[in-house]
């Protein structure tokens, strides 16, 4: 699969030469220093975040195409579930400038950095699966394909009818999107309107509209 973006290409091309260059001097380094070096990584990516997505920022303006299509109340409440450094929050703000914007992030350093970058947003440090989505008019996700069935079940159980679940790149299996926007040949935005039927009567991850 072709790699898009210069950062990805540099990482892919540089990985082997970098490890080869480091392999020689590394034999003289005590083994425990590797455990020490892993600590910042573990802080940035706590174990529970490994199931979902690592940090990958939403491109600027990625949600603008949805702003005219989704009906949201004035001063709508929007949540980026797994907000990373805040690029998704910025995309939400660009699309809905008058909205009240919140994020939840599992990684402590990322949550701190995000609070510092996006002072206009409310950032919770915690697990996106334990965080209540119920009070929000729109929940935005940029996670993994494997996370989508669980996200759909959570949205169905907690979000009110008429609210929106929006996902960058990864669709909800079995749900029919209210809107589908191709951002580029590789990336699609999926927007699902939560239907009116009570959660107790819903059956599996079937279509919502
Ligand atoms: C692909 S990035 C998206 C970041 C941001 N939403 C954006 O679009 O720019 C996924 C983010 O979700 C966070 N994450 C993964 N699993 C999580 C969980 N269970 N609870 C909260 N955050 C999580 C990761 O730490 C990472 O910052």
């Amino acid at each position: 699969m072709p790699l898009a973006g210069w950062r990805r290409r540099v990482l892919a091309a540089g990985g082997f030469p970098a490890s080869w260059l480091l392999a020689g001097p590394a034999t003289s380094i005590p083994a425990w220093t590797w455990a020490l070096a892993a600590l910042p990584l573990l802080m940035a990516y706590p174990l529970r975040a490994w199931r979902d997505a690592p940090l990958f920022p939403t491109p600027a303006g990625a949600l603008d195409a949805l702003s005219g299509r989704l009906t949201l109340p004035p001063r709508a409440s929007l949540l980026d579930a797994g907000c990373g450094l805040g690029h998704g929050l910025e995309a939400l703000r660009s699309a809905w400038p008058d909205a009240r914007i919140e994020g939840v992030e599992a990684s402590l350093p990322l949550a701190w950095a995000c609070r510092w970058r996006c002072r206009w947003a409310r950032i919770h440090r915690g697990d996106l699966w334990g965080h209540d989505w119920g009070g929000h008019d729109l929940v935005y996700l940029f996670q993994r394909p494997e996370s989508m069935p669980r996200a759909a079940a959570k949205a169905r159980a907690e979000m009110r009818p008429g609210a929106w679940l929006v996902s960058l790149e990864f669709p909800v299996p079995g749900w029919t999107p209210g809107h589908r926007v191709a951002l580029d040949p590789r990336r699609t935005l999926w927007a699902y309107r939560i239907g009116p039927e009570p959660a107790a009567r819903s059956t599996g991850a079937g279509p919502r509209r």
Side-chain angles (χ1 to χ4, degrees), residues 143-164:
Q143 290 295 322
R144 294 175 68 204
E146 296 81 1
S147 311
M148 296 315 293
R150 190 174 178 194
K154 184 170 170 63
R156 188 193 293 276
E158 295 178 8
M159 294 176 74
R160 62 170 179 74
W164 290 90

Side-chain angles (χ1 to χ4, degrees), residues 64-136:
D64 289 355
L66 282 182
S67 65
R69 303 187 196 207
L70 307 193
T71 312
L72 293 178
R75 304 255 313 125
S77 173
L78 319 182
L79 174 75
D80 182 355
C83 60
L85 284 172
H87 295 85
L89 300 171
E90 288 170 339
L92 287 168
R93 193 186 199 204
S94 162
W96 295 282
D98 79 326
R100 292 168 291 134
I101 299 179
E102 298 186 25
V104 57
E105 170 57 52
S107 157
L108 186 62
L110 289 184
W112 279 340
C114 186
R115 270 187 203 127
W116 185 78
R117 287 190 73 241
C118 305
R119 293 170 203 195
W120 36 266
R122 186 167 173 216
I123 310 302
H124 309 267
R125 193 261 163 155
D127 185 4
L128 69 89
W129 303 113
H131 194 83
D132 186 9
W133 294 1
H136 300 289

Side-chain angles (χ1 to χ4, degrees), residues 6 10 45 52 77 86 100 116 126 143 165 173 175 184-185 202:
W6 66 270
V10 168
Y45 287 111
D52 304 303
S77 173
R100 292 168 291 134
W116 185 78
Q143 290 295 322
L165 180 68
W175 282 23
D184 58 46
S202 57

